[in-house]
Amino acid sequence: MTMQYRKFGKLDWNASVLGFGCMRLPTLDGNPYGQNINEAQAVGMIHRALEQGVNYFDTAYIYHEGKSEIVLGNALRGLRDQARIATKCPVWMILEEADFDRILNDQLRKLQTDHIDFYLLHALSKNRWNDIVLKFELLEKSAAAIRDGRIRHLGFSFHDDYESFPRIINGFDHWTFCQIQYNYMDTENQAGVKGLKLAAAKGLAVVVMEPLMGGRLANPPAAIRQMIDSCAVKHSPADWALQWLWDQPEVSVVLSGMSAADQVEANLESASRARSHSFQAADLELIAGVRQKYKERAAIPCTKCNYCMPCPNGVNIPGVFEYYNDAFLHEDIPGARFKYQIFVPQSAQASACIACHECEAHCPQKIPISNWMPKVQGLLGAGA
Ligand SMILES: NC(=O)c1ccc[n+]([C@@H]2O[C@H](COP(=O)([O-])OP(=O)(O)OC[C@H]3O[C@@H](n4cnc5c(N)ncnc54)[C@H](OP(=O)(O)O)[C@@H]3O)[C@@H](O)[C@H]2O)c1
């Protein structure tokens, strides 16, 4: 297996096409996000990736309830010069001026290092950009940390609609890289393919997160698996999803949150075959067919055109429909319920709908939006 590398934006450095995402390390108690990491196994997986040429390791202050950085720091003891570390500033935890430096210094201690190679402002959105990044001058604070050597390069990760993406990209001249949620189902969601191309055109390295939609694309429902299995070219669903990303030259690094040693082996093998512009028409057709099949499973024909917005009562209409559809697309009601309750503030949940029907006049799909809201809340809301 020979690892493939790509130039990292404008830097004179090549990153391995596969990056190790330390958000889903193996755990001992069945809670995949908890702090009870199976450290021996996790360290073994990190060492195996390093030995096979992975040189980009992504973690964050909050992952595994604060333990991910510690385990990565332990794993890289004595091996620090072989790895570039990416970690993130939890911008929503910046409540006063001193918080940025306090958290950064804590991260350096946990990671057992004197510098962070790639520092990200975590999960930026329009609101966080305005209310936190600009308000607390996080760009200036980051620049100061670059000058004093604690940070080498600054980037951001992004979770919002595309419209906010150019504002953030163009709002600072010294981004080295960005991290976007991107996979063959999310081409029109969040930054999407437009964001990928914009960032690459501006010379930023693009690091992809959630390449398998958090694992869902590796375990498709039976009808979709059958489509993939009946293809003349035999690859696993996970491999197809990863190769689809690497086919695109704008993608610099694909992060995979690997939770088991066999996933590390499979993804290292996939990465050894990563080539840009390698997909043939038949490969692209397969992915288009799979995407279409997933979409047909959506219960509500919402295309996220946003014409229904803003809702006078604050409901995030396309957002709540997306989680509802996800529950059926991936046959994963508990997963959709978990995300709905975490990511949709209560004031924007379907329960805030008063059935005024104002939105329905604007919906090009003629969706009876108000009728769906109790069903959405009933399936995904607290106590459901
Ligand atoms: N900045 C941000 O806001 C943000 C947000 C999300 C992620 N991230 C970063 O991006 C990284 C990647 O995202 P992600 O973890 O969501 O990636 P992902 O690849 O979409 O999902 C990872 C999951 O996919 C499954 N998987 C991985 N390789 C597989 C294989 N070969 N065969 C079968 N299943 C496989 C595993 O699921 P099971 O564990 O269920 O087996 C694994 O936990 C994260 O680890 C984190 O470092 C950042």
Side-chain angles (χ1 to χ4, degrees):
M1 284 192 293
T2 307
M3 178 54 63
Q4 301 298 302
Y5 295 87
R6 287 186 184 179
K7 191 168 171 339
F8 197 76
K10 291 180 181 160
L11 294 191
D12 185 19
W13 176 71
N14 293 329
S16 52
V17 292
L18 178 67
F20 202 123
C22 299
M23 188 180 85
R24 302 180 193 269
L25 297 171
T27 55
L28 292 164
D29 57 6
N31 174 2
Y33 303 105
Q35 56 177 277
N36 212 352
I37 296 172
N38 182 337
E39 183 156 347
Q41 197 187 344
V43 169
M45 288 161 52
I46 290 168
H47 286 173
R48 173 69 179 153
L50 260 180
E51 175 195 299
Q52 291 297 312
V54 172
N55 61 9
Y56 193 99
F57 293 80
D58 176 89
T59 181
Y61 194 60
I62 57 157
Y63 289 173
H64 287 287
E65 298 171 333
K67 278 285 172 61
S68 172
E69 289 180 329
I70 293 173
V71 169
L72 182 61
N74 288 342
L76 295 180
R77 210 180 292 142
L79 302 166
R80 178 68 182 89
D81 57 344
Q82 292 179 36
R84 302 277 163 119
I85 296 177
T87 194
K88 313 185 185 85
C89 170
V91 296
W92 59 93
M93 291 173 138
I94 307 286
L95 304 176
E96 56 184 30
E97 290 291 330
D99 286 340
F100 180 86
D101 281 315
R102 178 183 57 75
I103 290 173
L104 173 56
N105 292 337
D106 198 25
Q107 291 176 295
L108 291 166
R109 179 189 60 75
K110 286 163 73 184
L111 285 160
Q112 304 176 44
T113 185
D114 61 359
H115 71 278
I116 285 155
D117 301 286
F118 299 109
Y119 200 55
L120 300 94
L121 302 182
H122 198 166
L124 292 193
S125 60
K126 181 174 77 184
N127 291 347
R128 285 180 177 165
W129 178 256
N130 292 331
D131 301 347
I132 305 172
V133 176
L134 300 183
K135 178 176 170 195
F136 289 106
E137 301 184 333
L138 297 189
L139 299 168
E140 291 76 359
K141 287 183 169 60
S142 301
I146 290 176
R147 282 194 298 277
D148 68 30
R150 286 175 297 164
I151 297 175
R152 293 274 160 88
H153 301 285
L154 188 66
F156 66 94
S157 68
F158 180 79
H159 286 294
D160 201 352
D161 291 336
Y162 173 78
E163 285 59 44
S164 315
F165 192 70
R167 166 103 206 270
I168 295 173
I169 284 250
N170 296 326
F172 185 57
D173 289 335
H174 304 291
W175 298 123
T176 300
F177 66 113
C178 63
Q179 188 170 308
I180 59 170
Q181 174 175 325
Y182 190 55
N183 54 64
Y184 67 70
M185 290 302 296
D186 279 329
T187 52
E188 310 298 324
N189 190 25
Q190 300 203 11
V193 68
K194 273 197 287 184
L196 169 74
K197 298 225 181 249
L198 175 72
K202 287 193 75 89
L204 272 72
V206 182
V207 177
V208 166
M209 59 182 158
E210 308 206 30
L212 304 178
M213 285 192 103
R216 284 172 290 170
L217 299 183
N219 296 298
I224 290 174
R225 178 172 279 278
Q226 212 174 8
M227 273 180 89
I228 293 175
D229 288 349
S230 63
C231 181
V233 186
K234 301 292 176 213
H235 292 304
S236 70
D239 185 56
W240 274 111
L242 296 174
Q243 299 300 347
W244 179 84
L245 288 163
W246 286 317
D247 182 59
Q248 301 166 67
E250 297 89 352
V251 169
S252 312
V253 175
V254 174
L255 292 176
S256 177
M258 296 167 280
S259 65
D262 61 341
Q263 294 174 359
V264 177
E265 291 308 321
N267 295 349
L268 286 169
E269 195 280 324
S270 289
S272 72
R273 287 183 282 107
R275 303 286 184 278
S276 57
H277 296 308
S278 65
F279 264 37
Q280 306 296 312
D283 303 326
L284 293 168
E285 258 169 47
L286 172 73
I287 297 295
V290 166
R291 184 188 295 122
Q292 181 58 27
K293 193 94 180 160
Y294 266 119
K295 285 190 172 163
E296 282 164 14
R297 300 170 72 88
I300 308 173
C302 172
T303 60
K304 290 187 77 184
C305 70
N306 246 29
Y307 284 20
C308 55
M309 295 293 280
C311 161
N313 292 295
V315 179
N316 178 354
I317 301 168
V320 306
F321 282 174
E322 187 180 9
Y323 287 113
Y324 187 84
N325 278 337
D326 259 10
F328 298 97
L329 243 59
H330 305 289
E331 291 176 357
D332 183 13
I333 294 173
R337 187 176 287 150
F338 176 78
K339 288 195 167 182
Y340 179 80
Q341 292 178 20
I342 295 273
F343 294 125
V344 186
Q346 227 162 20
S347 58
Q349 290 189 2
S351 51
C353 173
I354 58 159
C356 68
H357 301 280
E358 195 175 301
C359 50
E360 289 168 12
H362 306 287
C363 175
Q365 315 301 326
K366 308 275 175 256
I367 299 169
I369 295 173
S370 315
N371 291 353
W372 277 106
M373 288 299 166
K375 293 182 196 161
V376 173
Q377 196 64 21
L379 190 81
L380 304 179

